[in-house]
Amino acid sequence: MKSTTALNYQEFKDEWLTDVMDGNPSSVELGKRFSTKLVTQWLELDSYSDDFVYCDGAGDGGIDLAYLLRGEDSLQDDAEGDTWYLIQSKYGSAFAGTATLFEEAVKVIDAIEGLRSSLSSLSSDLIDRLRTFISSSSEKDKLVLVFATVDNLTEEEKRAIEAIKLIGKNRIGSIFSVETVCIETIYRRVLEETTSSNQRLTVKLNGQLVPSGDELLVGSIRLVDLYEFLKSYKHKTGDLDLIYEKNVRKFLGNKRKVNKGIEKTLLEKPERFGLYNNGITIVVQDFEKLAETEYELTEPFIVNGCQTTKTIWSVLLKKLDSGGTGSNPELDDYKYRLGKGIVILKIVKVGSQGEDLLIETTRYTNSQNAVTEKDFLALERDFRSWADQMGSKYNIYLEIQRGGWDSRKAQQKQNPSISPFFTEHANCFDLLKVYSAGWLAEAGLAFGKNPPLCTWREYLYANS
């Protein structure tokens, strides 16, 4: 189902915005459409969820859209907490740089603290819920202010985001955080599916590794070298999260028990990190040894160690890349001890067609935080098989990764002769919500096995 048609960001953005702007909507409706589409694709949610709250308009308290992401229903110490996402839609002229960021952030914080009057009934109800949430929150919970913008922020605007985080934590507490999301974020996530196979990403890595057969390298990598590898990856792709796209989940945050332990070790005993951590696994299309300790990895993905590497990134970014040309004895001592710290590393070559090995490696190496079968949904070959069958039999595009349909439509506009040319689409997560896993089991998890209760085409027509 992959295409060899190259797709640039501007083409993707134009197509992505088409249905947002359809019908000449009002500015309020435009902002609502923009933020809803962007956030649902970013968090992989459905806009009809009862946990969405729309407030955009007069008296919104600076909150256009809010979403409560509920954590795991578990009494375990490492169970994930709840997260409120407060989204500010900054579409077009609504965004004017750092001044907008500070002004809107303060507006939200003031509203939460009860310093703003004349809130709409919807916003007032939401603020009441947020205050209750804050008063009953634990260290597992988060309150995240999200700026949804069309394009990526500038370096100056990113520095403003860091300042806003400090303001929010000072006034609301450690529960407060800030994140940004833009159309380019979604574009980069689907880029792999629309980029030709001859445009492979290669990243260099320094480590003490030895081969074990033709498909495995085993050894260790210094913490500082791993950080440099992540920096190089981010520099080449613009989005560090892409390296986890074949993982079963994204970073869980440093409030979870395991992640807090990783951070504590990094800060207090970096030289012993290799003793306390289980290590990471990277899958690649190929690897090549360039020098004694230098390797070139082709299309690397971290499939075990997302929590470890994101925590390393977060801690070392502050420690090593905060600037300053003077001397700091305490920091110098930390860097000396950090230089002795290592991470156990496995690099698995799965090749360009190694789906079986990739799935097995991802499934069996994830154990540090609890992982449910639902988390492995995106890895299942059945969905890729269904996508092929739906395309060839019914001319329907099965969207496995949110944003993929926008990308495909843009490709089809760019090249009308592209084959297959899809006229309809369905989303695998939406289908699963209507027909439970039990239904899929009865259907034999594939076409033609124990004829399903409903065909894909019948589902689409019944719900169109």
Side-chain angles (χ1 to χ4, degrees):
M1 300 272 300
K2 286 187 179 182
S3 167
T4 57
T5 304
L7 184 69
N8 64 39
Y9 170 59
Q10 187 60 49
E11 293 165 336
F12 177 84
K13 182 172 73 171
D14 291 343
E15 180 57 45
W16 193 96
L17 288 169
T18 299
D19 55 349
V20 173
M21 299 184 294
D22 185 50
N24 193 29
S26 66
S27 58
V28 171
E29 177 63 22
L30 188 62
K32 177 181 176 180
R33 289 184 186 181
F34 174 74
S35 59
T36 301
K37 182 172 183 178
L38 190 57
V39 171
T40 52
Q41 291 191 355
W42 177 49
L43 297 177
E44 297 192 333
L45 304 170
D46 294 295
S47 58
Y48 53 76
S49 170
D50 291 337
D51 290 319
F52 269 109
V53 180
Y54 296 95
C55 304
D56 194 15
D60 61 16
I63 303 171
D64 300 328
L65 169 67
Y67 178 77
L68 174 59
L69 180 63
R70 302 179 187 275
E72 300 169 0
D73 185 14
S74 173
L75 298 178
Q76 298 179 10
D77 289 340
D78 61 352
E80 189 174 359
D82 297 332
T83 300
W84 268 105
Y85 289 96
L86 311 180
I87 294 91
Q88 292 197 345
S89 174
K90 297 306 167 196
Y91 178 79
S93 59
F95 182 61
T98 57
T100 300
L101 297 175
F102 281 111
E103 180 182 345
E104 295 299 317
V106 170
K107 186 187 298 184
V108 172
I109 295 171
D110 284 349
I112 293 174
E113 291 190 326
L115 301 179
R116 295 188 68 86
S117 58
S118 301
L119 294 177
S120 67
S121 59
L122 283 175
S123 296
S124 181
D125 289 344
L126 173 61
I127 293 299
D128 287 342
R129 293 180 67 185
L130 294 176
R131 289 174 184 164
T132 301
F133 172 73
I134 294 171
S135 65
S136 59
S137 64
S138 72
E139 63 176 12
K140 302 175 184 178
D141 303 319
K142 293 189 293 182
L143 181 70
V144 183
L145 174 60
V146 181
F147 289 102
T149 62
V150 174
D151 297 311
N152 204 356
L153 300 185
T154 66
E155 291 303 316
E156 181 183 6
E157 291 161 354
K158 290 177 182 178
R159 289 193 293 271
I161 292 296
E162 293 303 314
I164 291 170
K165 287 181 183 179
L166 295 177
I167 294 172
K169 289 181 182 296
N170 181 55
R171 293 181 57 180
I172 293 178
S174 60
I175 191 176
F176 182 85
S177 186
V178 184
E179 295 189 33
T180 62
V181 60
C182 62
I183 299 175
E184 188 173 353
T185 307
I186 310 303
Y187 167 73
R188 292 190 179 279
R189 287 187 180 181
V190 301
L191 188 61
E192 181 195 0
E193 296 299 322
T194 57
T195 302
S196 62
S197 59
N198 62 355
Q199 293 178 308
R200 295 173 180 169
L201 172 70
T202 60
V203 186
K204 292 181 180 179
L205 175 145
N206 284 294
Q208 298 287 340
L209 303 167
V210 295
S212 178
D214 296 329
E215 299 176 332
L216 179 65
L217 295 173
V218 182
S220 65
I221 180 173
R222 296 196 311 153
L223 287 169
V224 290
D225 288 331
L226 178 57
Y227 177 62
E228 289 300 321
F229 167 76
L230 296 174
K231 283 177 62 176
S232 179
Y233 184 95
K234 186 175 187 297
H235 176 74
K236 288 192 172 187
T237 64
D239 185 358
L240 183 60
D241 281 345
L242 289 176
I243 204 169
Y244 307 109
E245 283 304 305
K246 293 191 184 298
N247 203 342
V248 295
R249 58 189 168 208
K250 298 295 190 297
F251 181 51
L252 300 177
N254 62 4
K255 295 301 182 185
R256 296 188 65 154
K257 184 178 180 181
V258 172
N259 299 337
K260 289 181 67 178
I262 296 172
E263 183 176 21
K264 181 179 176 66
T265 301
L266 275 173
L267 290 171
E268 298 180 3
K269 297 180 180 179
E271 68 274 18
R272 296 189 178 183
F273 193 86
L275 297 175
Y276 301 158
N277 186 267
N278 288 339
I280 66 175
T281 301
I282 301 176
V283 297
V284 298
Q285 278 193 13
D286 197 6
F287 53 69
E288 179 182 357
K289 187 172 184 178
L290 303 178
E292 186 64 26
T293 62
E294 185 179 28
Y295 297 81
E296 183 176 74
L297 308 186
T298 303
E299 296 293 346
F301 291 94
I302 295 173
V303 298
N304 178 247
C306 174
Q307 314 311 315
T308 295
T309 52
K310 281 288 253 181
T311 305
I312 289 172
W313 172 265
S314 176
V315 171
L316 297 194
L317 180 65
K318 298 174 185 176
K319 287 289 188 180
L320 304 183
D321 281 317
S322 293
T325 58
S327 177
N328 184 329
E330 183 178 341
L331 182 58
D332 291 342
D333 175 67
Y334 176 80
K335 289 181 178 179
Y336 173 76
R337 292 185 292 117
L338 178 68
K340 297 182 178 181
I342 60 98
V343 182
I344 303 301
L345 174 64
K346 289 193 298 183
I347 299 177
V348 183
K349 179 166 64 176
V350 298
S352 59
Q353 304 296 324
E355 285 295 310
D356 287 338
L357 184 55
L358 169 62
I359 292 171
E360 291 173 3
T361 301
T362 305
R363 182 180 294 273
Y364 297 130
T365 57
N366 279 275
S367 61
Q368 288 189 18
N369 279 312
V371 182
T372 66
E373 286 300 307
K374 181 180 177 182
D375 291 320
F376 292 108
L377 179 64
L379 299 175
E380 294 300 335
R381 284 188 307 274
D382 294 303
F383 278 95
R384 303 187 187 282
S385 174
W386 290 339
D388 290 336
Q389 294 181 57
M390 290 178 72
S392 60
K393 291 185 178 181
Y394 303 121
N395 210 37
I396 295 171
Y397 179 88
L398 180 61
E399 186 177 43
I400 298 174
Q401 185 179 44
R402 295 192 189 276
W405 177 231
D406 291 305
S407 176
R408 183 65 188 197
K409 286 190 295 181
Q411 285 182 286
Q412 292 180 167
K413 284 186 176 181
Q414 180 190 44
N415 181 13
S417 64
I418 191 172
S419 180
F421 191 94
F422 299 107
T423 56
E424 298 178 88
H425 87 288
N427 183 279
C428 64
F429 291 93
D430 294 337
L431 294 179
L432 280 176
K433 288 183 179 180
V434 177
Y435 295 108
S436 66
W439 176 85
L440 288 173
E442 290 182 38
L445 290 175
F447 290 96
K449 297 181 183 179
N450 301 324
L453 304 178
C454 171
T455 67
W456 293 109
R457 171 167 280 186
E458 289 168 342
Y459 165 81
L460 288 168
Y461 286 157
N463 292 273
S464 61

